[in-house]
Amino acid sequence: MTQKEKDKLKLEALRTRLSIRQTAMSCERSLLSYIRTACVFVSLAFTYLKIASYDQFDVFVIVMFAIGFFFLFFGVIEYVIAKRKTKVIGRHVDREFLDVNDKFFDEDDE
């Protein structure tokens, strides 16, 4: 195998690992956006409770709390599922490129 082919394989391995890392970071960003949205709904409910409803639970307050907790719960569940899938794909790719690394990467290349 020529040096050009070795370099091409290294580049493909690097691109694949970086794309998996990018996917993991996008999962984290999605979780943070769900948390932010949940905080907005819960704070809206608290604000309405303290200002407009005179310390009485109103239907609006209950709905805003429910929506906020739903966003939080859904965001965490979606994050856990996506993170688990990303780990499985990452392990598969690492095994696939581990064979390539063992065969094609020389110690003096590192």
Side-chain angles (χ1 to χ4, degrees):
M1 178 161 279
T2 65
Q3 184 63 35
K4 188 175 182 179
E5 291 171 340
K6 288 180 188 179
D7 290 341
K8 185 177 179 181
L9 285 173
K10 285 181 186 180
L11 185 60
E12 287 178 20
L14 179 62
R15 285 181 182 160
T16 305
R17 287 188 179 115
L18 288 175
S19 68
I20 290 171
R21 182 63 189 140
Q22 183 180 10
T23 303
M25 289 187 336
S26 71
C27 291
E28 293 169 6
R29 281 193 307 270
S30 295
L31 175 65
L32 291 174
S33 67
Y34 278 115
I35 291 171
R36 181 184 62 230
T37 305
C39 288
V40 166
F41 277 103
V42 171
S43 66
L44 179 65
F46 274 121
T47 302
Y48 184 80
L49 180 67
K50 290 297 179 186
I51 293 175
S53 71
Y54 304 109
D55 295 332
Q56 296 176 5
F57 273 98
D58 199 6
V59 174
F60 181 77
V61 173
I62 295 170
V63 169
M64 289 300 113
F65 272 123
I67 290 173
F69 287 123
F70 172 76
F71 269 108
L72 183 64
F73 179 74
F74 182 77
V76 169
I77 296 299
E78 192 260 341
Y79 173 75
V80 168
I81 291 170
K83 191 72 166 180
R84 196 174 292 158
K85 286 180 183 178
T86 305
K87 278 186 179 181
V88 168
I89 292 171
R91 287 184 198 135
H92 175 71
V93 168
D94 282 343
R95 279 193 306 251
E96 187 175 310
F97 280 115
L98 184 63
D99 295 337
V100 171
N101 289 342
D102 288 343
K103 292 178 185 175
F104 300 119
F105 291 134
D106 298 329
E107 298 217 3
D108 58 337
D109 289 343
E110 297 178 7

